[in-house]
Amino acid sequence: MADIKKEQERDELHRAIWAIADELRGSVDGWDFKSYVLGMMFYRYISENLANYINEGEKEAGREAFDYVLMADEEAEQARADLVRTKGFFIVPSELFCNVRQRAANDENLNMTLEAVFRHIEESAKGSDSEDDFAGLFDDIDVNSNKLGATVAKRNANLVKLLDGVANMRLGNYKENSIDAFGDAYEYLMSMYASNAGKSGGEFFTPQDVSELLTRLAVAGKTEVNKVYDPACGSGSLLLKAAKVLGRENVRQGFFGQEINLTTYNLCRINMFLHDIDFDKFDIAHEDTLTAPQHWDDEPFEVIVSNPPYSIKWEGDDNPVLINDPRFAPAGVLAPKSKADMAFIMHSLAWLATNGTAAIVCFPGIMYRGGAEKKIRKYLIDNNFIDCIIQLPSNLFFGTSIATCIMVLKRSKADNRTLFIDASKEFVKVTNNNRLTEANIKRIVEEFTAREDVAHLARCVPYEQIVEQDYNLSVSNYVEPEDTREVIDIVKLNAEIAEIVKREEKLRAEIDKIIAELEA
């Protein structure tokens, strides 16, 4: 019953988002539309979150009729310092989402009003512990952009539609279901636009089912961890999946991530707030992870989950400093300049705790290519850091049909065998993409945990055999695929052929007899 209710709520939310998209079709490009809707949802969320927090406190103090929404700004200012300390930000009542929306249709300067509100929210955190989490958070919601309309009047008309659409979303009671609702809205928007917005969808968005599998592999056998880290965190879906799988309270020191793209960096921070991760429990940085890592003081991490961008260019050996970087130096060679995949793997390994697990989505080429990548594979295998390689089905990600892999790294393995799992058949087809079902995920995780040989599915391979295969880590080298061709009984087939030949000879004799009679 609960599942049916949740699905109904999700469908209703998707319809509400689609209705806003329909209203603004032709006015706002899809990829930009996503940012505007998420920004407005975030604005609504923190407004209601703050008002509810204050109202509950007042009601506990006996003021049943109190409503922060109706309070005068001057009076509310008295609580600013205390609220910034506890919540990380402050909004005066007149600038709450519901009050701005109420005046919006009659506000000729709505774009300027919203610009000021967003600036005030960011400024409220300045000088506090939450400053970095709020700085530039609304940068992608440019209310003065021509993307919203050619004139101020058109821009404001679209802003009214956005405010109304987001206000009409039935998000229910925040404590019960709003966080899921925001997460669902976020993922729905990402899936709507990731594949057709002229962006590389996989770069920004890891589908829920892949996130679930990756996270469950990384936390297998654990009920709580110190920290979770993603070196290419994008919109934060993998970090948040860890919060969901383990429970936020079981990630003791919080969530850490780094993202090079400014838009997705802002979306990731918004996503943290939308999923009720407190400002002091996450640290998302904006920089190039490979050349300017921002979490030296926070490593090592017990759980690392990542879907780094595939085969991107990087400085590599053009930068003479990198070969001496403690993250890359142990392998004695840098990942190729044209393919940074192995650099992300070395970075993750370097920052992995002794008792930790890293689960990383990989491009299949790094498993078999020669050169520097082979030398890095040799280093990883010789030092017994690779725990498991999993071959995934094709067509799981937006924007690419390639069958990717998962590499699981550990610093403290129980033996020197590497587990290979062929999960290429573990999927169901849904419209244009393949999806992993709960049953598919469960089977892969169970096999990962059991580490047992299963015909056509999994094999635990000793170190010596991998050396014999010249450090090739392709799953197909170790797990024989099931032969689904029809089994042919040769003896039976030969008997049938002999019978056919016999009949043919008999027919030929009869035809020769008829011809002889005709010629006579």
Side-chain angles (χ1 to χ4, degrees), residues 1-11 176-177 180 184:
M1 195 66 190
D3 283 346
I4 294 170
K5 184 173 181 288
K6 191 174 179 184
E7 284 304 316
Q8 286 171 341
E9 285 176 359
R10 184 177 283 131
D11 289 344
E176 288 170 20
N177 64 3
D180 281 339
D184 288 338

Side-chain angles (χ1 to χ4, degrees), residues 200-340:
S200 164
E203 183 181 339
F204 298 111
F205 181 61
T206 306
Q208 266 202 52
D209 47 344
V210 181
S211 295
E212 183 85 20
L213 172 60
L214 211 60
T215 306
R216 281 168 59 179
L217 291 167
V219 304
K222 296 177 186 283
T223 53
E224 62 171 22
V225 298
N226 72 338
K227 291 174 269 196
V228 178
Y229 173 65
D230 184 346
C233 62
S235 53
S237 62
L238 286 169
L239 294 172
L240 292 165
K241 191 62 77 172
K244 183 181 174 187
V245 171
L246 282 170
R248 288 193 307 276
E249 66 285 356
N250 294 318
V251 181
R252 296 187 300 275
Q253 295 171 52
F255 304 85
F256 299 78
Q258 188 162 336
E259 173 56 37
I260 194 169
N261 179 287
L262 180 62
T263 298
T264 33
Y265 160 69
N266 285 332
L267 288 178
C268 183
R269 290 186 297 159
I270 286 175
N271 215 7
M272 292 290 135
F273 285 115
L274 295 188
H275 284 75
D276 220 22
I277 308 292
D278 291 336
F279 72 88
D280 58 348
K281 280 291 187 185
F282 71 84
D283 184 342
I284 310 299
H286 174 232
E287 251 298 357
D288 185 330
T289 302
L290 299 180
T291 55
Q294 298 296 297
H295 293 106
W296 282 110
D297 296 337
D298 303 301
E299 60 94 12
F301 301 99
E302 201 173 333
V303 169
I304 297 178
V305 279
S306 192
N307 174 20
Y310 306 142
S311 300
I312 60 163
K313 294 180 173 64
W314 77 307
E315 291 179 12
D317 54 21
D318 279 351
N319 184 337
V321 174
L322 288 174
I323 192 60
N324 297 316
D325 187 306
R327 297 169 298 156
F328 310 125
V333 66
L334 295 169
K337 291 195 292 284
S338 60
K339 303 175 183 74

